[in-house]
Amino acid sequence: MKKPDFYEEPNHQHNLIIEICRKVRGIGKTTATCIAGYLDTIDAFMHGAEDELLRIGNIRGGALLKAEQATEIIEIRKKYLPEGVTDIKQLWITYLVRKFVWNAIEEIQATDFDELLINPFLICAFNFTDHEGVVTFCFYQKVTRSIVTSWGFTVEQMLLVSGGTPIIGEKAGFDLRVNREGTEYYIQIKSGPNTMDFDQVQNLNNNLAKLQEYDGRIGILGVTYGKDEQLSSIMQRVHGYPESVLIGRNLWDFIAEEKGYTERVLEWASVGLPENINFSTLLEDKRSALIKAWEEKYGVGVESIRKVLQQYL
């Protein structure tokens, strides 16, 4: 997985300012970096008003930002970051979760009937006789697949800003590392306790063996949630298990080097969904709209299912 540009520098305060500013139309990495250099700290950025942003000068002596860009920075800051907070880990975690949630919401709202991939063999295998059931099955399948994939990327970034250092271009097979009293721990991240097949475990074991050639380096499989007893039998074949596996709170607390950190992350993540949006209602509204689109195009009942299946063979 290619790491985002903002992990190229270790300064999480500057990188978050850059990330927020780059969401504004017309602001690229160079301009965003200038803004971060001027404001210097996340506290200055969180409290910076529009007039202060407009005082930032460019190399020609003029204003770096247009008035509408300064306004948009404030709006985006409010959208993605909790007010009154300056703890950089909390800000990053909240930002990443909110970005993930907003992306999911936008994708669901933009889902069109023609985007549903209807597998005729699955529909026949489950013997659907109700077109609403077909739409529901295919819609939730699409949403689940997209959200699970996107969350895997998000949760790795959450661990990086919690205390991990990204591994780019070295020690392939591991996602991040942490240093504890002179020992470097190289960690491969998996989002859940049942997410590796036999070949993936074998590949990890090969990478663990190569890492043992270096003094002071230890390889770890990190699983972001679950209990030891929930780890799949295949994943328990990781060389050195159970010592070579950190799962759930053990992983998060280890990377952050803070006991109880996991509970804090859960608290920060709980404010990811905007207060005026009910996710269940959002799903139901889109499901109903897709059913209506089906009925307008193909009719209802078993006969409509037959018509649709003919389009996919």
Side-chain angles (χ1 to χ4, degrees), residues 8-28:
E8 293 177 358
E9 299 292 337
N11 190 325
H12 288 316
Q13 295 194 56
H14 279 209
N15 293 338
L16 182 55
I17 296 171
I18 292 169
E19 179 75 0
I20 293 295
C21 291
R22 291 187 68 180
K23 289 185 172 295
V24 175
R25 289 165 293 182
I27 294 183

Side-chain angles (χ1 to χ4, degrees), residues 19-312:
E19 179 75 0
I20 293 295
C21 291
R22 291 187 68 180
K23 289 185 172 295
V24 175
R25 289 165 293 182
I27 294 183
K29 186 175 181 179
T30 299
T31 299
T33 301
C34 289
I35 297 171
Y38 176 84
L39 294 174
D40 191 42
T41 67
I42 196 65
D43 183 69
F45 177 70
M46 293 297 292
H47 292 94
E50 292 180 24
D51 58 346
E52 184 173 5
L53 292 172
L54 291 173
R55 285 199 295 269
I56 304 175
N58 58 29
I59 58 175
R60 294 182 296 275
L64 182 69
L65 299 171
K66 299 176 182 178
E68 57 269 25
Q69 289 176 322
T71 299
E72 193 172 350
I73 287 175
I74 303 299
E75 292 174 348
I76 292 176
R77 187 182 70 191
K78 290 180 179 178
K79 179 178 180 179
Y80 287 99
L81 300 178
E83 294 185 4
V85 175
T86 55
D87 180 274
I88 190 60
K89 287 183 180 179
Q90 180 176 354
L91 288 171
W92 259 115
I93 297 296
T94 305
Y95 165 74
L96 290 169
V97 172
R98 286 185 177 178
K99 183 175 74 167
F100 163 79
V101 169
W102 276 114
N103 287 342
I105 289 172
E106 291 171 2
E107 182 171 349
I108 290 170
Q109 291 175 329
T111 298
D112 184 80
F113 174 76
D114 293 328
E115 293 179 341
L116 296 183
L117 291 178
I118 300 175
N119 187 326
F121 298 101
L122 281 179
I123 301 306
C124 290
F126 290 124
N127 195 26
F128 280 101
T129 58
D130 177 9
H131 68 283
E132 293 189 11
V134 175
V135 172
T136 300
F137 176 77
C138 295
F139 172 53
Y140 286 163
Q141 184 183 48
K142 178 183 183 299
V143 170
T144 301
R145 182 168 53 244
S146 174
I147 285 178
V148 168
T149 300
S150 178
W151 180 250
F153 295 133
T154 298
V155 77
E156 183 180 326
Q157 294 170 23
M158 290 166 64
L159 286 165
L160 282 168
V161 299
S162 294
T165 301
I167 298 175
I168 303 176
E170 63 166 322
K171 299 294 174 273
F174 297 96
D175 301 303
L176 58 86
R177 67 173 179 261
V178 295
N179 190 301
R180 294 290 180 270
E181 298 179 354
T183 298
E184 284 190 313
Y185 292 86
Y186 284 74
I187 307 174
Q188 181 179 122
I189 301 299
K190 292 298 177 183
S191 58
N194 190 26
T195 54
M196 297 179 75
D197 58 29
F198 178 80
D199 289 338
Q200 289 174 320
V201 170
Q202 286 295 98
N203 187 55
L204 174 57
N205 283 337
N206 291 336
N207 291 328
L208 291 173
K210 293 177 183 178
L211 200 62
Q212 289 179 344
E213 299 174 3
Y214 299 87
D215 292 334
R217 294 182 178 179
I218 297 175
I220 294 289
L221 170 62
V223 185
T224 63
Y225 73 90
K227 299 288 187 180
D228 290 332
E229 58 269 21
Q230 296 171 324
L231 199 68
S232 71
S233 59
I234 292 177
M235 293 175 73
Q236 290 181 22
R237 297 181 184 180
V238 171
H239 180 73
Y241 174 80
E243 286 78 11
S244 60
V245 177
L246 290 174
I247 186 168
R249 70 177 69 250
N250 291 330
L251 172 67
W252 291 91
D253 289 6
F254 175 74
I255 288 180
E257 205 169 5
E258 177 186 333
K259 186 174 179 59
Y261 180 72
T262 311
E263 283 71 24
R264 293 215 295 155
V265 172
L266 291 174
E267 181 181 348
W268 300 336
S270 67
V271 297
L273 192 68
E275 293 181 0
N276 62 334
I277 294 179
N278 183 294
F279 194 67
S280 297
T281 301
L282 178 73
L283 288 173
E284 180 56 32
D285 288 347
K286 176 53 67 172
R287 187 185 78 92
S288 298
L290 293 172
I291 290 173
K292 182 179 179 181
W294 173 299
E295 293 173 348
E296 291 175 348
K297 193 170 185 178
Y298 296 105
V300 301
V302 175
E303 188 58 36
S304 70
I305 295 176
R306 293 196 183 100
K307 292 178 183 179
V308 172
L309 296 186
Q310 290 175 2
Q311 306 298 316
Y312 288 85

